Amino acid sequence: MADNERFEIRIAGSGGQGVILATELIGQAIALYEEGLYVVQTQAYGPEARGGKSKAEVVISSSPIDYPKVMAPNLQVILTQAAADEFARDTTPGGRIVYDDFFVIDIPGLGTGGEEFQRRIDARIYTLPIVRTARDKTGGEIVTNMVALGCVGRVFDLEKVSSSDSLRKAIAAHFPDKKIAAMNVEAFDMGYEIFKQTRLP
């Protein structure tokens, strides 16, 4: 990252999708494996412990962070329709939004959310099979957050924010059981690949 540069990330979905853990792992990756960067993680969720709206955010900066909240995310990974409707338009101009293609049907920014709504979103938009990849190719929906984190890792490499390898290390270190750790790293790698194979707008 360049001097005095700030990169903001939001992962949003519903309770039970693991968005908080995903952002905690981003924080750990930066804090433990990257030198010269500062990071802070925050979270918010609805009154329902499971199924309610949930978002978690990370700010990464090359200088000390004076304000810990996300103001206009450079990257949003959005896993539910409710989160898309509420948060999509917050994206910084020219930023990226990754929507899950299973739970987000009416896609803000691609015209399906209405012409007026489309004009309000100046972002590079992707619809990717995050939940379907977790469900069909890895450990089930429990690893949806790791597939989403793979998308974050791909953006890290594209934007040169950090290294996707730092995220892999943080995931592997987080799970003491080697088989569970391997399953989560595999889900991360699948998320990375589905984004890598997507045409970049």
Side-chain angles (χ1 to χ4, degrees), residues 21-22 25 143-151 171 175 184 187-189 191:
L21 174 58
L25 288 170
V143 294
T144 294
N145 58 344
M146 297 298 135
V147 179
L149 203 51
C151 296
I171 294 167
F175 298 97
N184 281 274
F188 172 90
D189 287 337

Side-chain angles (χ1 to χ4, degrees), residues 95-138:
R96 300 178 196 265
I97 306 173
V98 179
Y99 294 114
D100 171 60
D101 73 356
F102 184 80
F103 284 119
V104 184
I105 305 301
D106 188 9
I107 300 170
L110 286 184
T112 57
E115 192 174 328
E116 182 182 357
F117 196 21
Q118 180 185 10
R119 287 197 300 268
R120 293 180 185 175
I121 303 178
D122 174 12
R124 290 165 284 181
I125 293 172
Y126 314 82
T127 56
L128 299 178
I130 296 171
V131 169
R132 289 190 292 116
T133 297
R135 180 186 294 161
D136 299 339
K137 297 185 179 180
T138 61

Side-chain angles (χ1 to χ4, degrees), residues 5-201:
E5 189 174 358
R6 179 179 170 113
F7 193 88
E8 300 183 347
I9 303 163
R10 175 186 291 144
I11 303 178
S14 65
Q17 288 185 309
V19 300
I20 293 171
L21 174 58
T23 57
E24 287 175 348
L25 288 170
I26 295 171
Q28 291 172 24
I30 299 300
L32 296 175
Y33 304 113
E34 298 289 348
E35 293 184 5
L37 293 178
Y38 299 83
V39 64
V40 63
Q41 183 263 356
T42 57
Q43 62 201 44
Y45 43 86
E48 303 90 346
R50 192 170 187 86
K53 197 159 31 184
S54 176
K55 70 170 181 174
E57 300 171 337
V58 181
V59 175
I60 303 168
S61 178
S62 55
S63 57
I65 297 169
D66 55 359
Y67 183 70
K69 298 281 190 178
V70 161
M71 297 176 286
N74 302 87
L75 170 64
Q76 296 206 68
V77 181
I78 298 179
L79 303 175
T80 64
Q81 187 67 56
D85 294 342
E86 179 166 352
F87 301 124
R89 68 186 78 187
D90 295 343
T91 310
T92 197
R96 300 178 196 265
I97 306 173
V98 179
Y99 294 114
D100 171 60
D101 73 356
F102 184 80
F103 284 119
V104 184
I105 305 301
D106 188 9
I107 300 170
L110 286 184
T112 57
E115 192 174 328
E116 182 182 357
F117 196 21
Q118 180 185 10
R119 287 197 300 268
R120 293 180 185 175
I121 303 178
D122 174 12
R124 290 165 284 181
I125 293 172
Y126 314 82
T127 56
L128 299 178
I130 296 171
V131 169
R132 289 190 292 116
T133 297
R135 180 186 294 161
D136 299 339
K137 297 185 179 180
T138 61
E141 284 193 44
I142 194 169
V143 294
T144 294
N145 58 344
M146 297 298 135
V147 179
L149 203 51
C151 296
V152 174
R154 176 60 178 159
V155 174
F156 274 11
D157 288 345
L158 287 169
E159 299 284 349
K160 296 182 172 36
V161 175
S162 175
S163 166
S164 58
D165 287 337
S166 295
L167 285 169
R168 287 186 187 88
K169 289 176 186 176
I171 294 167
H174 179 78
F175 298 97
D177 184 289
K178 289 185 178 179
K179 291 179 81 171
I180 293 175
M183 178 183 71
N184 281 274
V185 171
E186 179 187 20
F188 172 90
D189 287 337
M190 287 190 175
Y192 188 98
E193 284 301 315
I194 61 172
F195 201 154
K196 185 177 180 179
Q197 294 167 16
T198 299
R199 180 177 174 275
L200 296 179

